[in-house]
Amino acid sequence: MLELRILRNEKDRVTEGLKKRNLPDEVIDLVEEIIVMDDTRKKSQSEMDAILAQINQISREVGDLMKTGKRDQAEDLKTRVAELKETNKVHEESLRNAQRLLEEKLITLPNIPHVSVPFGKTPEENEVFKTWEGPLPSLPENALPHWELAKKYQVFDMELGVKISGSGFILYRQNGARLQRALINFFLDEASAAGYEEIQAPLLVNSDSARGTGQLPDKEGQMYYVERDDLYLIPTAEVPVTNIYRDVILKETELPIKLTGYTPCFRREAGSYGAHVKGLNRVHQFDKIEIVRIEHPDRSYDALMEMLQHVEGLLQKLELPYRILRLCGGDMGFASALTFDFEVWSAAQQRWLEVSSVSNFETFQTHRMKLRFKSEQGDTKLAHSLNGSALALARIVASLLENHQTPEGIRIPDALVPYFGKNRLS
RNA sequence: GGAGGAAUGGCAGAGCGGUCGAUUGCGGCGGUCUUGAAAACCGUUGACUGUAACAGGUCCGGGGGUUCGAAUCCCUCUUCCUCCGCCA
């Protein structure tokens, strides 16, 4: 949620930023509407406060009068308070309404894109920020897509996933199960080595947590929901991990906070069908190692670059062809101010697959979560939050299988051999 | 699942209808003393809102109620603790 203060003080920057997201004019106009609503809110609030101040004052006088036995005078004051309370009901009501309306509107505004975010509406307009050095691998004529390779080498079984759960659920077996475990351990070790504290978090979260990181109300339909217990299955470790610090005031010296966690991620992916969902391209449950950082506002963009390097290092170690995109305004997530996506080349499908998304949310999440820090000067300020996938497994497996296929089997990159136990999957 | 108890500032812990936003201790910060540190002593130390700055307002787990007045009384929800039952 955007800070009202920013709307009021930097209206031009806000409206310019929102235009980058290609939002309709009605949304842009909301900024002005919200400011007007806030004026109304302030007015009601101060009127109410004045009356409350009177009531407090009179109540004290009543106390004194009662003690000194002046009951008649006390009775007069009591009726006066009753009148004031009656008047106050009106203000209370309008304050509640103003606040509710304000909140409803404010929560619909996405984050303001960073200045470096390019204009654009669709994924095609994302800016290629960096591409790996080597050429895209050229595979032999008989190269197979990962879902064929999976059958050939006993990596995963789509039919069993369907039998047990439904479409979009994968059952990994033999080589695949071991490869999953190898990748998870590899990614966690890399994150630990980079100074991230390893977290094992709950996979079901309450609505406060889902709201804290912005999944509610924006992505409600994308999450699995357990109605009986009012809990959501996490769509990413970002939710439980970032919410560790919901409602927390940190000391400035505690920053930065660097956390990592492996979790399965559950996504309904409602409305996604067709060729692009084939195999591991889009599934309801996948494994992901997430890195999360809570940063001082002055350092958050440096931190973002560090995260980028970390993820890039992983892809290099896995010897996968990748590129980094700076997302355009139209393609960015709701809560993000700047997002870089990593894509790996799916050689057999001849297309790029998104495997990581690294974002700075600035104060968008921390405002909602009340995640603050106390500065050296003693004032409390909102921290910045960032996160990124490092990495998402399913598509990495897809890319690994396709790019490293050889007539003798799937070549395992050197960095992964100690985890997988052998240098070839066959 | 059943029975009982509890929830107060960073922590511990008083207050149980009227200057209580809250006694006190610890911790933190500043100072005195000291070459420096410790100890001792003195002072200071919650958040939100509001204002140009004051003032004012709100917050004692959440929500609702009683009252002129609620941290204190009542209802309700949540969480934690103890005991019993069940169980990986």
Side-chain angles (χ1 to χ4, degrees), chain A residues 7 11 15 27-37:
Chain A
L7 253 63
K11 201 169 89 185
T15 48
V27 179
I28 312 283
D29 294 341
L30 259 185
V31 175
E32 185 57 40
E33 284 175 43
I34 288 174
I35 292 175
V36 172
M37 282 179 200

Side-chain angles (χ1 to χ4, degrees), chain A residues 6-51:
Chain A
I6 295 177
L7 253 63
R8 296 195 77 106
N9 299 344
E10 304 170 61
K11 201 169 89 185
D12 292 344
R13 184 169 77 85
V14 173
T15 48
E16 284 312 303
L18 292 178
K19 279 179 192 159
K20 265 194 192 169
R21 286 185 177 265
N22 287 292
L23 297 166
D25 287 345
E26 298 92 82
V27 179
I28 312 283
D29 294 341
L30 259 185
V31 175
E32 185 57 40
E33 284 175 43
I34 288 174
I35 292 175
V36 172
M37 282 179 200
D38 189 44
D39 288 337
T40 319
R41 197 215 90 231
K42 277 191 181 181
K43 193 159 165 284
S44 305
Q45 178 79 64
S46 66
E47 280 166 2
M48 199 179 106
D49 286 354
I51 293 174

Side-chain angles (χ1 to χ4, degrees), chain A residues 217-248:
Chain A
D218 187 48
K219 291 183 187 145
E220 178 150 30
Q222 283 290 0
M223 287 188 288
Y224 287 97
Y225 175 60
V226 183
E227 189 170 7
R228 191 177 165 130
D229 296 291
D230 193 21
L231 292 169
Y232 295 86
L233 272 72
I234 57 168
T236 159
E238 163 196 349
V239 182
V241 171
T242 314
N243 273 283
I244 293 172
Y245 290 99
R246 171 156 51 82
D247 265 316
V248 169

